[in-house]
Amino acid sequence: MELILDKKEFQLISAEFRRIASRLLKTNMNDGINNLKRFIFFIENNPLINNFIQEHNTLTFDIEKEIQNREMYEGYLIQPDKKYEISFIYQLLKHCSDNCSEYISICYFYGSSRNFQDMVDAFNDRVVSMLVGHIEVFLKGIWLDMADNDKFHINVNGGQVSIAQGQGTVNATQNNYFGEIQALKELAEKFNILIDQVDIDKETLADTREIVEIALAEVISDSPKRSILKHAIEKIEYVGKLGTGLNGLNNVTHSLIEQLSKFI
């Protein structure tokens, strides 16, 4: 399988993974099963991450038996080995995503507290975070391999990933949008200032700023990618709605979306 990604597209994948992983790691117990399903769906539908998982998912476990045999307030017996951790945790989460009606089903009596939310938090901190950490290190390694190149052919074969600088010729038309880009930059600056006052967590705030920055870089390029700009518009619209009633944010949000839409 060959993927052709540039840096901005890779950053988008990485940012989206962090967002979805964060939702699961910080989930309320009542939202846990839905956030787990989102997490598994993202992994299985992203070829880069899915191939990394499958490369290391080489051990087979009877997950149902592992759940039943775990002692109360004792953790799952996960050996400190990369392939063991990835195999066991991925299979455990996949099993729950496919078969559980509640996330707490695999978190019961995790840690020392009798509070159900504490059990979920302890399970996420001691188990899920290990899998998330392995994926983040993998993505960071690819980012470092990219060095100063702009576009890459990423060959995925049986989980092995190799990266080569793109050699093809890119034909593009240079567009003269200087005035509109300046207006867009000014709107983005206003938007970033205003969303500081919106009641959202720091990670969502950082992800929003990152995708706005990526979108600005994209519109300056010769061939703006519609998928990136559409994702940015969705994120801007989402955060803008969270700040409904905040002085000035509604107008800036609509104007920013309108300007970005011109490049799609």
Side-chain angles (χ1 to χ4, degrees):
M1 178 189 302
E2 183 181 50
L3 304 175
I4 301 177
L5 298 175
D6 61 25
K7 282 190 173 182
K8 291 186 286 293
E9 289 171 314
F10 181 81
Q11 282 181 301
L12 184 59
I13 290 172
S14 194
E16 188 68 6
F17 172 74
R18 291 197 306 273
R19 183 183 70 84
I20 290 173
S22 178
R23 287 181 69 172
L24 179 59
L25 289 170
K26 298 177 181 178
T27 192
N28 178 281
M29 60 171 288
N30 296 320
D31 299 325
I33 193 64
N34 289 328
N35 286 329
L36 173 61
K37 288 179 182 295
R38 291 186 184 97
F39 180 76
I40 294 295
F41 180 84
F42 181 82
I43 287 176
E44 293 182 340
N45 286 274
N46 184 280
L48 194 61
I49 296 175
N50 188 48
N51 274 274
F52 167 74
I53 292 294
Q54 298 312 322
E55 177 194 2
H56 294 84
N57 185 23
T58 56
L59 305 174
T60 302
F61 298 93
D62 185 341
I63 295 299
E64 190 67 44
K65 185 177 179 180
E66 294 286 345
I67 295 172
Q68 292 174 356
N69 290 347
R70 183 171 63 86
E71 296 291 336
M72 187 180 297
Y73 297 115
E74 293 293 330
Y76 292 102
L77 299 177
I78 305 174
Q79 295 180 14
D81 171 81
K82 183 177 181 179
K83 287 191 175 182
Y84 194 106
E85 290 176 355
I86 292 174
S87 296
F88 184 89
I89 299 169
Y90 175 72
Q91 290 173 36
L92 177 63
L93 296 181
K94 174 67 174 171
H95 172 85
C96 186
S97 176
D98 291 345
N99 300 288
C100 298
S101 59
E102 295 180 299
Y103 189 49
I104 190 67
S105 300
I106 56 174
C107 310
Y108 274 128
F109 305 113
Y110 227 87
S112 58
S113 174
R114 293 179 179 272
N115 179 277
F116 283 173
Q117 182 62 52
D118 290 343
M119 295 176 191
V120 170
D121 292 342
F123 173 79
N124 283 340
D125 184 56
R126 292 169 55 188
V127 180
V128 180
S129 64
M130 284 196 289
L131 181 62
V132 170
H134 284 305
I135 296 173
E136 287 181 336
V137 169
F138 165 69
L139 294 175
K140 183 66 174 178
I142 292 180
W143 176 252
L144 293 175
D145 285 342
M146 284 183 166
D148 297 323
N149 300 315
D150 293 323
K151 185 171 289 187
F152 293 82
H153 295 267
I154 301 180
N155 296 300
V156 183
N157 183 16
Q160 297 296 321
V161 177
S162 60
I163 301 174
Q165 185 174 1
Q167 299 297 323
T169 300
V170 178
N171 297 314
T173 302
Q174 179 65 45
N175 296 311
N176 185 15
Y177 290 136
F178 180 76
E180 292 179 356
I181 290 173
Q182 282 299 111
L184 189 56
K185 287 182 177 179
E186 292 174 5
L187 284 169
E189 288 176 6
K190 291 178 182 177
F191 179 78
N192 284 332
I193 292 171
L194 288 168
I195 62 175
D196 268 334
Q197 303 173 56
V198 179
D199 185 18
I200 53 176
D201 61 88
K202 291 182 179 179
E203 186 142 6
T204 300
L205 187 65
D207 285 347
T208 302
R209 286 186 169 140
E210 183 175 8
I211 188 57
V212 170
E213 181 181 345
I214 293 171
L216 287 176
E218 194 62 38
V219 299
I220 296 172
S221 68
D222 291 338
S223 302
K225 291 182 171 58
R226 297 177 65 187
S227 59
I228 293 177
L229 297 182
K230 285 182 177 180
H231 180 77
I233 287 171
E234 290 174 0
K235 176 71 76 173
I236 291 165
E237 185 176 28
Y238 170 73
V239 174
K241 286 180 179 178
L242 292 179
T244 298
L246 185 62
N247 187 29
L249 181 58
N250 186 57
N251 289 336
V252 170
T253 298
H254 283 298
S255 297
L256 184 54
I257 290 173
E258 183 179 359
Q259 289 292 328
L260 282 174
S261 298
K262 293 179 180 180
F263 295 87
I264 295 178

